[in-house]
Amino acid sequence: RKEVFDCCGMYDESLVRAQDCELHARIRHSGRHIYQTPELVTYYHPVSTFQAFWRKAFLDGQWQYLAAVKNPQSFALRRFVPVFMVLLLAGLSFMAIFFPAIWMLIAIVMLLYLLAGFYFGSTRAGTTKLLTRILLPFFAFPFHVCYGLGTLAGLWHVSRKPARPKPPRTTGPLQHERTVQSGSEKAF
């Protein structure tokens, strides 16, 4: 409805991704509801390679963080679980260097992840194909790792100081060639 957009605004075009989550948060914060209907037909074009799939996960994680920084109302804990998983596994792996018994804890965490994946893959997946439900956790794991790494990249991007612009080069081969070619022009 038009009055929803008049009140809440449109998509934030400064966000490359996660515009829908950020807009939904503004709509919900205004006291309105978002309805889903099975009558709506949408078309989704999935990525065609695993590399593109993992890149998409990384960028989705990065932009979810940036959207949450821009609009804290769009923060949802479930979107930040992958970064906690990445930090947990990285921390445990580092500790396992000094305390080898921690590898057992890592194995338990991974087993719990796979069991949760099998459970949700069998109950929530939109398919009844057994092979798809069995393989889902194995494809979800790299997706979640890339998503978590993307969230960390978003955190890094926001937390670092803005880089100073580089001063223009006044010496060097390119400037020398320009000066020679143009005769009396000075290089900048």
Side-chain angles (χ1 to χ4, degrees), residues 156-166:
W156 172 258
H157 175 76
V158 169
S159 66
R160 68 185 173 106
K161 294 179 182 176
R164 293 183 189 175
K166 292 182 180 179

Side-chain angles (χ1 to χ4, degrees), residues 64-134:
Q64 281 294 346
Y65 180 80
L66 297 173
V69 167
K70 190 162 190 175
N71 179 2
Q73 299 163 349
S74 69
F75 175 83
L77 185 60
R78 67 184 175 87
R79 292 192 191 104
F80 292 88
V81 169
V83 75
F84 296 129
M85 181 187 75
V86 166
L87 292 173
L88 174 68
L89 290 175
L92 288 175
S93 297
F94 178 75
M95 289 173 33
I97 295 170
F98 305 105
F99 307 102
I102 291 182
W103 286 112
M104 183 62 72
L105 183 58
I106 294 171
I108 291 170
V109 168
M110 294 303 299
L111 179 63
L112 289 173
Y113 178 89
L114 288 175
L115 290 174
F118 290 133
Y119 172 76
F120 290 111
S122 65
T123 61
R124 305 269 174 125
T127 182
T128 57
K129 294 181 182 177
L130 181 62
L131 183 60
T132 302
R133 290 184 286 156
I134 290 172

